[in-house]
Amino acid sequence: MSDTDTTDQKYLDLQAYFDGEMDAAERERFEAELERDTELRSELDDIGVMRELVVGGLESEAKDVPQARFEQIWDEIDATIDRDARLQESAGTRPSIWARIMPWLRPAALPMAATAAAAAFVVVVVNSTGDPSNTEAPVASNEPVQAPAQEPAPSAEPPSQEEAEPAPKLAVNNPAPADEEPVDFDVPDSNEAEVERIEFGGHSGHIEQLEGSRGTTTVIWIEEDDEPVDSERSL
Amino acid sequence: MTKTRQTNRLLSTGLALVIAPALAFGGTALTPAIADAADKADCQVTSVLASKEKKDPRIPKELNFLKEQLENDRFAAYNSFKLLERKPFKLTKGKTSKGKMKSGHEFGFTLLGGDDKRVKIHASLLSKSGKKLLDTDYGIENNGIMIVGGGKHPDGKIIFAIQCKSV
Amino acid sequence: MVSQDADDLILVDAAKKGDRRAFRFLVQRYQRKVYAVAYGFLRNREDALDVVQESFIKVHRYLDRFEGNSSFYTWLYRIVANLCIDNLRRNKRHRDVEFDDALRHDADAEAPPTPLTNTLQGIGDPGEMLRRKEIMAAFTDCLQHLSDKHRAVIVMREVQGMSYEEMAKAMECSKGTIMSRLFHARRNMQKLLTERLGSMVPSKKDDAADGEAVPSTQEAVMP
């Protein structure tokens, strides 16, 4: 082993030591080495100094950024969160008909219990093709129609995405494919399983127990080999 | 094994109410009231794709119920997990309920027995081409999670989480 | 109502429930730290600020998936590191000059660099030095001259405190590669700093009684 190799290895160890990547035994051994080797100690000091410089330097740079810039950034974040929320409302779950009408009703103090008026209003909303401000056309006589026209443009987003169809199906990115209703399970008290009998197909498999906060979970590992005839993919 | 089959036969004949009190399997005594609860069970297989592709977060919200297991060292080789499918199976004592997952794997479940706290299940797994991969009988508490791992998938490996509960 | 000093996890919980103010407190708490990290990676104020914005937006989008098993800032830092690495990869294609190990030290040919501490001692006591703008400028300069990958591992290790394993995941390489990269990065940095700061040591200059440095004529060419 050349001197350089030893130096490199020592430095790698030093690094691991400094970065807290050694286990207790390794640490002990290395600390003994450190006591003997002054050069190694000075190298350690150097890495320490560099860390302070890096951290200090970057923090100092960060201090130089005017607070106003961060305020600007917050405004952008705030606006984006609002936008995300609006998109979620209209695209995500199927909103009830009242949820869809709500943005329109906000300025008008319509008592929801006023079924007659509300029902008429419902008819207006569902049949309209545009945003709230265009509802004068279909039913002009309905008072509530005035209210939506006052709505500021941004909130016209949710209603305008709906045509007469009952369910706006913008949810192309559903997180879980909901072909069938998923079953709800409670959090189990224990996953302990008693395997009474087990057969693996052809090739081997094995059972493992994973330790957890509530006992063990059984994992059955199967070996599913590539079937050369069927497989279209090369490894 | 024979015990189990006996239970099947005996209970399915409706003699359960008469003879159940006398039967005791591994500590699970079937009394008339409880025997009714062991006639049906709801199971669900959650298939999870474990891949080495890096994604953030590693364990998405919908897989929270498996978080502890997926964070076990055993799965440390995988950088991300994705929910592929959740498929329910409705079990009736003695009848086998089969279903094919989107990955092509076919599960078969039979409710062997149980009470209002536990279920005994026979589970079988076939590969896409119909080859037998696994055949097992096991007992587990309601809602308990049993994991079957190592299913083939082009982007990694599939981990199946099986949960059942008597209804 | 959550207070501004509330624990991270309390703020996160409130934010999950829609408390915008709580989320803002989180942003305010970490924005400069995130900026510091991003600047370390990208060496450019505007790019770094973009990353600050993107990071917190991403955090908010994924808030539901954070369960509190790791600390919030660990999770946040991981997001920041990934965004920065993506950014570097994207920009690599557009950049003409790649600061790739510009001052590659040759471990075989040269002796280990002069101990940094000796050099710095010539300038002033370590505590004082951190406040010196010149030294900071020197440091930033040196940062510019490291390669993307070297800078990345230094920032991840020193500023974010990521483990070798976490860094390996972020950079999609092996732990061994990380260790080697870190080794070379630190060596390079040591060399750069010693050279840069060496010129500031009073004993080497007639007029630098208090360590005032004549700014180096090196130009950090910004991509």
Side-chain angles (χ1 to χ4, degrees):
Chain A
M1 230 198 315
S2 78
D3 279 341
T4 323
D5 288 341
T6 326
T7 312
D8 282 0
Q9 187 49 53
K10 260 198 193 166
Y11 198 86
L12 282 170
D13 284 343
L14 181 68
Q15 188 170 256
Y17 174 74
F18 182 72
D19 293 335
E21 298 270 341
M22 282 186 164
D23 62 40
E26 292 171 320
R27 264 204 312 276
E28 228 181 283
R29 235 180 302 133
F30 194 74
E31 275 163 3
E33 176 83 35
L34 267 178
E35 276 193 46
R36 289 193 295 265
D37 195 335
T38 42
E39 205 183 297
L40 203 60
R41 276 206 305 276
S42 107
E43 286 271 24
L44 185 66
D45 288 340
D46 272 10
I47 312 187
V49 165
M50 281 201 290
R51 170 172 293 179
E52 282 180 40
L53 281 177
V54 171
V55 174
L58 289 174
E59 283 183 351
S60 159
E61 162 63 36
K63 268 201 210 92
D64 280 349
V65 179
Q67 183 60 21
R69 281 304 263 115
F70 286 110
E71 303 285 333
Q72 267 180 312
I73 287 181
W74 169 255
D75 288 338
E76 288 295 315
I77 295 173
D78 201 22
T80 307
I81 295 178
D82 282 337
R83 229 178 298 137
D84 284 351
R86 276 200 305 273
L87 288 172
Q88 263 230 314
E89 266 171 37
S90 57
T93 51
R94 296 145 195 256
S96 72
I97 189 135
W98 295 120
R100 281 182 275 154
I101 294 171
M102 277 317 271
W104 298 38
L105 294 179
R106 245 185 283 130
L110 264 190
M112 299 303 275
T115 40
F121 196 67
V122 169
V123 172
V124 171
V125 170
V126 171
N127 289 332
S128 83
T129 49
D131 45 2
S133 42
N134 294 341
T135 45
E136 289 95 64
V139 184
S141 58
N142 229 323
E143 303 162 81
V145 174
Q146 303 300 326
Q150 294 163 12
E151 280 287 337
S155 69
E157 262 183 72
S160 67
Q161 279 166 344
E162 305 147 22
E163 304 308 307
E165 282 101 63
K169 226 12 174 117
L170 291 163
V172 189
N173 309 317
N174 253 334
D179 300 341
E180 296 144 307
E181 276 301 313
V183 184
D184 271 325
F185 289 89
D186 294 332
V187 175
D189 287 327
S190 145
N191 293 325
E192 311 267 2
E194 287 153 20
V195 178
E196 295 192 0
R197 180 190 66 82
I198 188 159
E199 277 164 37
F200 293 101
H203 306 270
S204 57
H206 62 280
I207 306 184
E208 257 180 356
Q209 301 291 339
L210 300 183
E211 288 299 319
S213 58
R214 284 205 184 87
T216 61
T217 301
T218 306
V219 180
I220 299 177
W221 287 99
I222 57 169
E223 311 268 306
E224 191 176 355
D225 289 341
D226 281 322
E227 288 142 3
V229 183
D230 297 328
S231 175
E232 285 167 22
R233 287 168 179 272
S234 58
L235 279 174
Chain B
M1 291 319 87
T2 41
K3 260 198 209 166
T4 316
R5 276 190 225 115
Q6 259 175 11
T7 316
N8 273 347
R9 256 185 278 129
L10 288 168
L11 290 176
S12 66
T13 58
L15 289 171
L17 292 175
V18 178
I19 62 172
L23 297 173
F25 291 92
T28 309
L30 299 172
T31 65
I34 298 170
D36 285 340
D39 274 346
K40 290 196 194 299
D42 281 341
C43 285
Q44 181 157 266
V45 175
T46 303
S47 57
V48 178
L49 171 64
S51 79
K52 307 219 164 156
E53 184 194 322
K54 186 178 52 72
K55 264 198 165 68
D56 200 299
R58 187 167 172 262
I59 299 173
K61 167 178 76 169
E62 51 270 13
L63 294 179
N64 271 343
F65 76 106
L66 280 181
K67 200 167 201 289
E68 198 179 34
Q69 288 83 0
L70 295 178
E71 283 180 342
N72 188 289
D73 279 344
R74 195 59 181 83
F75 296 106
Y78 302 107
N79 288 321
S80 69
F81 299 96
K82 183 171 121 174
L83 169 68
L84 289 177
E85 187 187 1
R86 272 199 285 247
K87 194 176 178 65
F89 290 79
K90 283 203 166 332
L91 309 190
T92 308
K93 179 78 68 61
K95 291 204 194 123
T96 301
S97 185
K98 288 200 180 158
K100 217 171 208 192
M101 310 297 287
K102 289 186 178 145
S103 57
H105 295 92
E106 187 180 313
F107 271 99
F109 293 106
T110 317
L111 176 62
L112 300 176
D115 55 32
D116 62 349
K117 290 199 168 58
R118 285 182 78 82
V119 283
K120 219 175 237 178
I121 302 284
H122 164 239
S124 69
L125 176 61
L126 301 178
S127 75
K128 198 166 170 175
S129 58
K131 202 172 72 151
K132 169 170 122 177
L133 294 174
L134 175 71
D135 199 293
T136 177
D137 294 344
Y138 66 95
I140 198 168
E141 248 184 56
N142 279 352
N143 303 302
I145 301 168
M146 161 75 83
I147 296 180
V148 175
K152 200 157 69 104
H153 190 282
D155 300 327
K157 283 254 183 293
I158 302 185
I159 295 167
F160 299 106
I162 306 169
Q163 275 178 297
C164 293
K165 61 181 176 188
S166 43
V167 291
Chain C
M1 283 271 266
V2 284
S3 90
Q4 192 163 20
D5 316 314
D7 197 64
D8 282 353
L9 294 180
I10 295 182
L11 291 179
V12 168
D13 274 336
K16 279 189 193 184
K17 297 187 185 118
D19 187 341
R20 194 69 61 88
R21 215 167 131 265
F23 188 68
R24 185 172 191 177
F25 289 155
L26 275 173
V27 173
Q28 286 167 335
R29 181 173 292 176
Y30 288 106
Q31 62 196 9
R32 282 186 201 266
K33 291 197 177 79
V34 170
Y35 173 79
V37 169
Y39 187 83
F41 269 99
L42 308 175
R43 306 167 302 166
N44 172 305
R45 176 171 289 193
E46 289 310 312
D47 287 348
L49 288 171
D50 281 346
V51 167
V52 172
Q53 188 172 309
E54 278 176 56
S55 301
F56 286 112
I57 287 174
K58 206 164 183 185
V59 161
H60 193 270
R61 284 191 180 139
Y62 289 145
L63 212 51
D64 280 343
R65 302 182 188 186
F66 174 69
E67 281 296 301
N69 287 335
S70 65
S71 67
F72 172 74
Y73 78 78
T74 303
W75 183 59
L76 169 63
Y77 275 174
R78 216 180 306 148
I79 292 177
V80 177
N82 288 337
L83 279 172
C84 287
I85 290 172
D86 286 347
N87 189 308
L88 285 174
R89 284 184 181 148
R90 271 199 313 270
N91 293 341
K92 197 169 171 173
R93 291 178 225 129
H94 301 296
R95 244 190 292 153
D96 298 321
V97 184
E98 161 74 22
F99 286 82
D100 195 16
D101 304 334
L103 288 163
R104 173 169 282 128
H105 76 98
D106 196 334
D108 296 315
E110 61 185 59
T114 319
L116 194 56
T117 34
N118 289 0
T119 309
L120 289 172
Q121 250 148 36
I123 299 177
D125 79 74
E128 205 195 319
M129 79 180 177
L130 285 174
R131 285 174 241 126
R132 290 168 162 271
K133 268 246 149 171
E134 301 85 42
I135 296 182
M136 285 311 114
F139 155 76
T140 318
D141 224 25
C142 295
L143 205 61
Q144 312 284 17
H145 284 86
L146 288 176
S147 72
D148 286 351
K149 291 182 173 164
H150 283 180
R151 236 180 21 261
V153 288
I154 292 222
V155 173
M156 284 194 283
R157 178 80 279 277
E158 310 293 32
V159 186
Q160 298 179 279
M162 286 171 121
S163 69
Y164 292 171
E165 173 119 10
E166 286 171 326
M167 292 197 276
K169 278 209 187 112
M171 298 193 84
E172 287 170 326
C173 62
S174 72
K175 198 164 137 175
T177 305
I178 290 291
M179 289 170 74
S180 160
R181 208 167 267 173
L182 203 47
F183 168 70
H184 290 293
R186 278 169 162 153
R187 271 278 196 251
N188 273 341
M189 179 148 241
Q190 207 172 2
K191 185 167 191 257
L192 285 164
L193 282 172
T194 313
E195 282 176 7
R196 189 78 162 76
L197 296 174
S199 64
M200 287 170 58
V201 174
S203 53
K204 294 193 178 175
K205 288 204 153 343
D206 296 328
D207 52 348
D210 52 341
E212 283 296 323
V214 173
S216 157
T217 51
Q218 282 174 15
E219 274 168 20
V221 179
M222 287 312 305

